[in-house]
PDB file of all heavy atoms in Angstrom:
ATOM      1  N   VAL B 355      25.345  16.146  -2.978  1.00 98.00           N
ATOM      2  CA  VAL B 355      24.951  17.521  -2.645  1.00 98.00           C
ATOM      3  C   VAL B 355      25.988  18.116  -1.703  1.00 98.00           C
ATOM      4  O   VAL B 355      26.847  17.413  -1.153  1.00 98.00           O
ATOM      5  CB  VAL B 355      23.570  17.581  -1.961  1.00 98.00           C
ATOM      6  CG1 VAL B 355      22.459  17.171  -2.908  1.00 98.00           C
ATOM      7  CG2 VAL B 355      23.554  16.743  -0.698  1.00 98.00           C
ATOM      8  N   SER B 356      25.872  19.422  -1.496  1.00 97.00           N
ATOM      9  CA  SER B 356      26.646  20.115  -0.476  1.00 97.00           C
ATOM     10  C   SER B 356      25.761  21.208   0.105  1.00 97.00           C
ATOM     11  O   SER B 356      24.805  21.665  -0.540  1.00 97.00           O
ATOM     12  CB  SER B 356      27.928  20.707  -1.058  1.00 97.00           C
ATOM     13  OG  SER B 356      27.629  21.679  -2.035  1.00 97.00           O
ATOM     14  N   ARG B 357      26.070  21.626   1.319  1.00 97.00           N
ATOM     15  CA  ARG B 357      25.319  22.719   1.940  1.00 97.00           C
ATOM     16  C   ARG B 357      26.307  23.567   2.729  1.00 97.00           C
ATOM     17  O   ARG B 357      26.369  23.545   3.955  1.00 97.00           O
ATOM     18  CB  ARG B 357      24.228  22.165   2.871  1.00 97.00           C
ATOM     19  CG  ARG B 357      23.305  23.260   3.423  1.00 97.00           C
ATOM     20  CD  ARG B 357      22.169  23.588   2.566  1.00 97.00           C
ATOM     21  NE  ARG B 357      21.380  24.710   2.999  1.00 97.00           N
ATOM     22  CZ  ARG B 357      20.385  24.665   3.897  1.00 97.00           C
ATOM     23  NH1 ARG B 357      20.099  23.523   4.504  1.00 97.00           N
ATOM     24  NH2 ARG B 357      19.713  25.753   4.195  1.00 97.00           N
ATOM     25  N   GLU B 358      27.062  24.339   2.007  1.00 97.00           N
ATOM     26  CA  GLU B 358      28.092  25.185   2.615  1.00 97.00           C
ATOM     27  C   GLU B 358      27.527  26.522   3.072  1.00 97.00           C
ATOM     28  O   GLU B 358      28.105  27.181   3.945  1.00 97.00           O
ATOM     29  CB  GLU B 358      29.246  25.379   1.639  1.00 97.00           C
ATOM     30  CG  GLU B 358      29.968  24.079   1.291  1.00 97.00           C
ATOM     31  CD  GLU B 358      31.050  24.272   0.238  1.00 97.00           C
ATOM     32  OE1 GLU B 358      31.269  25.431  -0.181  1.00 97.00           O
ATOM     33  OE2 GLU B 358      31.665  23.272  -0.159  1.00 97.00           O
ATOM     34  N   LYS B 359      26.433  26.938   2.474  1.00 96.00           N
ATOM     35  CA  LYS B 359      25.778  28.180   2.837  1.00 96.00           C
ATOM     36  C   LYS B 359      24.295  27.917   3.040  1.00 96.00           C
ATOM     37  O   LYS B 359      23.713  27.056   2.384  1.00 96.00           O
ATOM     38  CB  LYS B 359      25.965  29.239   1.740  1.00 96.00           C
ATOM     39  CG  LYS B 359      27.382  29.624   1.470  1.00 96.00           C
ATOM     40  CD  LYS B 359      27.458  30.785   0.476  1.00 96.00           C
ATOM     41  CE  LYS B 359      26.942  30.389  -0.878  1.00 96.00           C
ATOM     42  NZ  LYS B 359      27.064  31.494  -1.862  1.00 96.00           N
ATOM     43  N   LYS B 360      23.686  28.698   3.910  1.00 96.00           N
ATOM     44  CA  LYS B 360      22.270  28.482   4.219  1.00 96.00           C
ATOM     45  C   LYS B 360      21.404  28.633   2.972  1.00 96.00           C
ATOM     46  O   LYS B 360      20.422  27.919   2.790  1.00 96.00           O
ATOM     47  CB  LYS B 360      21.819  29.484   5.278  1.00 96.00           C
ATOM     48  CG  LYS B 360      20.416  29.265   5.796  1.00 96.00           C
ATOM     49  CD  LYS B 360      20.102  30.228   6.923  1.00 96.00           C
ATOM     50  CE  LYS B 360      18.740  29.929   7.529  1.00 96.00           C
ATOM     51  NZ  LYS B 360      18.445  30.816   8.681  1.00 96.00           N
ATOM     52  N   GLU B 361      21.767  29.553   2.096  1.00 97.00           N
ATOM     53  CA  GLU B 361      20.897  29.865   0.967  1.00 97.00           C
ATOM     54  C   GLU B 361      21.144  28.997  -0.255  1.00 97.00           C
ATOM     55  O   GLU B 361      20.435  29.120  -1.235  1.00 97.00           O
ATOM     56  CB  GLU B 361      21.060  31.346   0.593  1.00 97.00           C
ATOM     57  CG  GLU B 361      22.463  31.776   0.255  1.00 97.00           C
ATOM     58  CD  GLU B 361      23.261  32.244   1.457  1.00 97.00           C
ATOM     59  OE1 GLU B 361      22.896  31.899   2.601  1.00 97.00           O
ATOM     60  OE2 GLU B 361      24.258  32.958   1.248  1.00 97.00           O
ATOM     61  N   SER B 362      22.129  28.113  -0.221  1.00 98.00           N
ATOM     62  CA  SER B 362      22.506  27.377  -1.424  1.00 98.00           C
ATOM     63  C   SER B 362      22.563  25.872  -1.178  1.00 98.00           C
ATOM     64  O   SER B 362      23.114  25.422  -0.166  1.00 98.00           O
ATOM     65  CB  SER B 362      23.868  27.887  -1.910  1.00 98.00           C
ATOM     66  OG  SER B 362      24.280  27.179  -3.058  1.00 98.00           O
ATOM     67  N   PHE B 363      22.035  25.103  -2.141  1.00 98.00           N
ATOM     68  CA  PHE B 363      22.004  23.639  -1.981  1.00 98.00           C
ATOM     69  C   PHE B 363      22.148  23.008  -3.375  1.00 98.00           C
ATOM     70  O   PHE B 363      21.193  22.502  -3.955  1.00 98.00           O
ATOM     71  CB  PHE B 363      20.688  23.229  -1.319  1.00 98.00           C
ATOM     72  CG  PHE B 363      20.616  21.794  -0.850  1.00 98.00           C
ATOM     73  CD1 PHE B 363      21.687  21.174  -0.239  1.00 98.00           C
ATOM     74  CD2 PHE B 363      19.427  21.075  -0.991  1.00 98.00           C
ATOM     75  CE1 PHE B 363      21.603  19.865   0.213  1.00 98.00           C
ATOM     76  CE2 PHE B 363      19.328  19.767  -0.540  1.00 98.00           C
ATOM     77  CZ  PHE B 363      20.415  19.157   0.060  1.00 98.00           C
ATOM     78  N   PRO B 364      23.342  23.010  -3.939  1.00 98.00           N
ATOM     79  CA  PRO B 364      23.523  22.469  -5.286  1.00 98.00           C
ATOM     80  C   PRO B 364      23.477  20.942  -5.313  1.00 98.00           C
ATOM     81  O   PRO B 364      23.891  20.274  -4.368  1.00 98.00           O
ATOM     82  CB  PRO B 364      24.917  22.976  -5.675  1.00 98.00           C
ATOM     83  CG  PRO B 364      25.618  23.208  -4.383  1.00 98.00           C
ATOM     84  CD  PRO B 364      24.565  23.621  -3.396  1.00 98.00           C
ATOM     85  N   LEU B 365      22.978  20.428  -6.432  1.00 98.00           N
ATOM     86  CA  LEU B 365      22.864  18.984  -6.642  1.00 98.00           C
ATOM     87  C   LEU B 365      23.732  18.585  -7.828  1.00 98.00           C
ATOM     88  O   LEU B 365      23.627  19.188  -8.895  1.00 98.00           O
ATOM     89  CB  LEU B 365      21.412  18.614  -6.942  1.00 98.00           C
ATOM     90  CG  LEU B 365      21.149  17.164  -7.362  1.00 98.00           C
ATOM     91  CD1 LEU B 365      21.231  16.226  -6.157  1.00 98.00           C
ATOM     92  CD2 LEU B 365      19.763  17.030  -8.015  1.00 98.00           C
ATOM     93  N   THR B 366      24.584  17.587  -7.633  1.00 97.00           N
ATOM     94  CA  THR B 366      25.384  17.058  -8.732  1.00 97.00           C
ATOM     95  C   THR B 366      24.824  15.708  -9.150  1.00 97.00           C
ATOM     96  O   THR B 366      24.639  14.818  -8.310  1.00 97.00           O
ATOM     97  CB  THR B 366      26.861  16.909  -8.340  1.00 97.00           C
ATOM     98  OG1 THR B 366      27.398  18.207  -8.063  1.00 97.00           O
ATOM     99  CG2 THR B 366      27.669  16.271  -9.466  1.00 97.00           C
ATOM    100  N   VAL B 367      24.531  15.605 -10.431  1.00 96.00           N
ATOM    101  CA  VAL B 367      24.078  14.344 -11.004  1.00 96.00           C
ATOM    102  C   VAL B 367      25.306  13.690 -11.621  1.00 96.00           C
ATOM    103  O   VAL B 367      25.902  14.233 -12.561  1.00 96.00           O
ATOM    104  CB  VAL B 367      22.999  14.579 -12.076  1.00 96.00           C
ATOM    105  CG1 VAL B 367      22.468  13.260 -12.601  1.00 96.00           C
ATOM    106  CG2 VAL B 367      21.870  15.433 -11.513  1.00 96.00           C
ATOM    107  N   THR B 368      25.722  12.573 -11.070  1.00 93.00           N
ATOM    108  CA  THR B 368      26.957  11.961 -11.530  1.00 93.00           C
ATOM    109  C   THR B 368      26.683  10.943 -12.637  1.00 93.00           C
ATOM    110  O   THR B 368      25.527  10.557 -12.894  1.00 93.00           O
ATOM    111  CB  THR B 368      27.690  11.261 -10.375  1.00 93.00           C
ATOM    112  OG1 THR B 368      27.002  10.041 -10.056  1.00 93.00           O
ATOM    113  CG2 THR B 368      27.759  12.146  -9.146  1.00 93.00           C
ATOM    114  N   SER B 369      27.739  10.491 -13.245  1.00 88.00           N
ATOM    115  CA  SER B 369      27.617   9.499 -14.319  1.00 88.00           C
ATOM    116  C   SER B 369      27.139   8.152 -13.776  1.00 88.00           C
ATOM    117  O   SER B 369      26.728   7.286 -14.544  1.00 88.00           O
ATOM    118  CB  SER B 369      28.965   9.331 -15.020  1.00 88.00           C
ATOM    119  OG  SER B 369      29.966   8.972 -14.094  1.00 88.00           O
ATOM    120  N   ALA B 370      27.150   7.994 -12.463  1.00 87.00           N
ATOM    121  CA  ALA B 370      26.675   6.744 -11.860  1.00 87.00           C
ATOM    122  C   ALA B 370      25.155   6.656 -11.809  1.00 87.00           C
ATOM    123  O   ALA B 370      24.597   5.578 -11.580  1.00 87.00           O
ATOM    124  CB  ALA B 370      27.228   6.611 -10.441  1.00 87.00           C
ATOM    125  N   GLN B 371      24.479   7.770 -12.060  1.00 88.00           N
ATOM    126  CA  GLN B 371      23.011   7.772 -12.050  1.00 88.00           C
ATOM    127  C   GLN B 371      22.544   7.145 -13.355  1.00 88.00           C
ATOM    128  O   GLN B 371      22.811   7.679 -14.440  1.00 88.00           O
ATOM    129  CB  GLN B 371      22.481   9.190 -11.877  1.00 88.00           C
ATOM    130  CG  GLN B 371      20.998   9.407 -12.112  1.00 88.00           C
ATOM    131  CD  GLN B 371      20.091   8.395 -11.432  1.00 88.00           C
ATOM    132  OE1 GLN B 371      19.247   7.794 -12.070  1.00 88.00           O
ATOM    133  NE2 GLN B 371      20.276   8.215 -10.152  1.00 88.00           N
ATOM    134  N   LYS B 372      21.805   6.056 -13.258  1.00 87.00           N
ATOM    135  CA  LYS B 372      21.471   5.255 -14.441  1.00 87.00           C
ATOM    136  C   LYS B 372      20.458   5.926 -15.369  1.00 87.00           C
ATOM    137  O   LYS B 372      20.551   5.832 -16.583  1.00 87.00           O
ATOM    138  CB  LYS B 372      20.923   3.899 -13.992  1.00 87.00           C
ATOM    139  CG  LYS B 372      21.920   3.063 -13.217  1.00 87.00           C
ATOM    140  CD  LYS B 372      22.967   2.478 -14.126  1.00 87.00           C
ATOM    141  CE  LYS B 372      23.876   1.524 -13.371  1.00 87.00           C
ATOM    142  NZ  LYS B 372      25.103   2.159 -12.958  1.00 87.00           N
ATOM    143  N   ASN B 373      19.474   6.574 -14.807  1.00 90.00           N
ATOM    144  CA  ASN B 373      18.415   7.190 -15.626  1.00 90.00           C
ATOM    145  C   ASN B 373      18.209   8.633 -15.184  1.00 90.00           C
ATOM    146  O   ASN B 373      17.209   8.946 -14.534  1.00 90.00           O
ATOM    147  CB  ASN B 373      17.107   6.407 -15.482  1.00 90.00           C
ATOM    148  CG  ASN B 373      17.228   4.987 -15.992  1.00 90.00           C
ATOM    149  OD1 ASN B 373      17.454   4.750 -17.160  1.00 90.00           O
ATOM    150  ND2 ASN B 373      17.079   4.037 -15.083  1.00 90.00           N
ATOM    151  N   PRO B 374      19.113   9.525 -15.524  1.00 93.00           N
ATOM    152  CA  PRO B 374      19.048  10.886 -14.984  1.00 93.00           C
ATOM    153  C   PRO B 374      18.038  11.802 -15.661  1.00 93.00           C
ATOM    154  O   PRO B 374      17.738  12.861 -15.113  1.00 93.00           O
ATOM    155  CB  PRO B 374      20.471  11.404 -15.216  1.00 93.00           C
ATOM    156  CG  PRO B 374      20.977  10.628 -16.365  1.00 93.00           C
ATOM    157  CD  PRO B 374      20.335   9.278 -16.290  1.00 93.00           C
ATOM    158  N   THR B 375      17.526  11.437 -16.817  1.00 94.00           N
ATOM    159  CA  THR B 375      16.568  12.308 -17.505  1.00 94.00           C
ATOM    160  C   THR B 375      15.311  12.441 -16.665  1.00 94.00           C
ATOM    161  O   THR B 375      14.627  11.457 -16.393  1.00 94.00           O
ATOM    162  CB  THR B 375      16.223  11.747 -18.888  1.00 94.00           C
ATOM    163  OG1 THR B 375      17.407  11.770 -19.695  1.00 94.00           O
ATOM    164  CG2 THR B 375      15.136  12.564 -19.551  1.00 94.00           C
ATOM    165  N   ALA B 376      15.022  13.667 -16.221  1.00 95.00           N
ATOM    166  CA  ALA B 376      13.882  13.911 -15.329  1.00 95.00           C
ATOM    167  C   ALA B 376      13.752  15.405 -15.101  1.00 95.00           C
ATOM    168  O   ALA B 376      14.582  16.206 -15.544  1.00 95.00           O
ATOM    169  CB  ALA B 376      14.067  13.192 -13.987  1.00 95.00           C
ATOM    170  N   PHE B 377      12.707  15.758 -14.352  1.00 97.00           N
ATOM    171  CA  PHE B 377      12.465  17.135 -13.919  1.00 97.00           C
ATOM    172  C   PHE B 377      12.922  17.210 -12.463  1.00 97.00           C
ATOM    173  O   PHE B 377      12.439  16.467 -11.617  1.00 97.00           O
ATOM    174  CB  PHE B 377      10.964  17.420 -14.050  1.00 97.00           C
ATOM    175  CG  PHE B 377      10.551  18.840 -13.801  1.00 97.00           C
ATOM    176  CD1 PHE B 377      11.324  19.905 -14.224  1.00 97.00           C
ATOM    177  CD2 PHE B 377       9.349  19.105 -13.170  1.00 97.00           C
ATOM    178  CE1 PHE B 377      10.922  21.218 -14.008  1.00 97.00           C
ATOM    179  CE2 PHE B 377       8.932  20.420 -12.955  1.00 97.00           C
ATOM    180  CZ  PHE B 377       9.718  21.477 -13.374  1.00 97.00           C
ATOM    181  N   TYR B 378      13.884  18.099 -12.185  1.00 98.00           N
ATOM    182  CA  TYR B 378      14.452  18.197 -10.844  1.00 98.00           C
ATOM    183  C   TYR B 378      13.933  19.454 -10.154  1.00 98.00           C
ATOM    184  O   TYR B 378      14.037  20.564 -10.693  1.00 98.00           O
ATOM    185  CB  TYR B 378      15.981  18.225 -10.909  1.00 98.00           C
ATOM    186  CG  TYR B 378      16.553  16.890 -11.319  1.00 98.00           C
ATOM    187  CD1 TYR B 378      16.706  16.563 -12.658  1.00 98.00           C
ATOM    188  CD2 TYR B 378      16.899  15.948 -10.354  1.00 98.00           C
ATOM    189  CE1 TYR B 378      17.206  15.324 -13.038  1.00 98.00           C
ATOM    190  CE2 TYR B 378      17.402  14.707 -10.723  1.00 98.00           C
ATOM    191  CZ  TYR B 378      17.557  14.405 -12.065  1.00 98.00           C
ATOM    192  OH  TYR B 378      18.044  13.170 -12.423  1.00 98.00           O
ATOM    193  N   LEU B 379      13.412  19.258  -8.960  1.00 98.00           N
ATOM    194  CA  LEU B 379      12.808  20.351  -8.213  1.00 98.00           C
ATOM    195  C   LEU B 379      13.527  20.538  -6.880  1.00 98.00           C
ATOM    196  O   LEU B 379      13.752  19.585  -6.142  1.00 98.00           O
ATOM    197  CB  LEU B 379      11.332  20.047  -7.942  1.00 98.00           C
ATOM    198  CG  LEU B 379      10.425  20.149  -9.169  1.00 98.00           C
ATOM    199  CD1 LEU B 379       9.170  19.323  -8.986  1.00 98.00           C
ATOM    200  CD2 LEU B 379      10.069  21.601  -9.443  1.00 98.00           C
ATOM    201  N   CYS B 380      13.844  21.774  -6.593  1.00 98.00           N
ATOM    202  CA  CYS B 380      14.434  22.139  -5.315  1.00 98.00           C
ATOM    203  C   CYS B 380      13.349  22.807  -4.475  1.00 98.00           C
ATOM    204  O   CYS B 380      12.490  23.520  -5.001  1.00 98.00           O
ATOM    205  CB  CYS B 380      15.593  23.104  -5.547  1.00 98.00           C
ATOM    206  SG  CYS B 380      16.406  23.698  -4.059  1.00 98.00           S
ATOM    207  N   ALA B 381      13.367  22.561  -3.186  1.00 97.00           N
ATOM    208  CA  ALA B 381      12.374  23.156  -2.292  1.00 97.00           C
ATOM    209  C   ALA B 381      13.037  23.582  -0.997  1.00 97.00           C
ATOM    210  O   ALA B 381      14.143  23.123  -0.668  1.00 97.00           O
ATOM    211  CB  ALA B 381      11.244  22.165  -2.006  1.00 97.00           C
ATOM    212  N   SER B 382      12.344  24.437  -0.268  1.00 96.00           N
ATOM    213  CA  SER B 382      12.836  24.810   1.059  1.00 96.00           C
ATOM    214  C   SER B 382      11.663  24.949   2.004  1.00 96.00           C
ATOM    215  O   SER B 382      10.512  25.110   1.586  1.00 96.00           O
ATOM    216  CB  SER B 382      13.641  26.114   0.992  1.00 96.00           C
ATOM    217  OG  SER B 382      12.798  27.222   0.757  1.00 96.00           O
ATOM    218  N   SER B 383      11.970  24.869   3.302  1.00 93.00           N
ATOM    219  CA  SER B 383      10.958  25.080   4.337  1.00 93.00           C
ATOM    220  C   SER B 383      11.656  25.607   5.581  1.00 93.00           C
ATOM    221  O   SER B 383      12.868  25.472   5.731  1.00 93.00           O
ATOM    222  CB  SER B 383      10.191  23.791   4.652  1.00 93.00           C
ATOM    223  OG  SER B 383      11.047  22.824   5.244  1.00 93.00           O
TER     224      SER B 383
END
Side-chain angles (χ1 to χ4, degrees):
Chain B
V355 293
S356 63
R357 187 87 186 276
E358 297 176 3
K359 298 186 295 182
K360 187 175 185 177
E361 57 271 20
S362 179
F363 191 41
L365 172 75
T366 296
V367 184
T368 74
S369 56
Q371 169 47 233
K372 297 286 186 263
N373 297 296
T375 295
F377 187 38
Y378 290 87
L379 288 157
C380 178
S382 71
S383 66

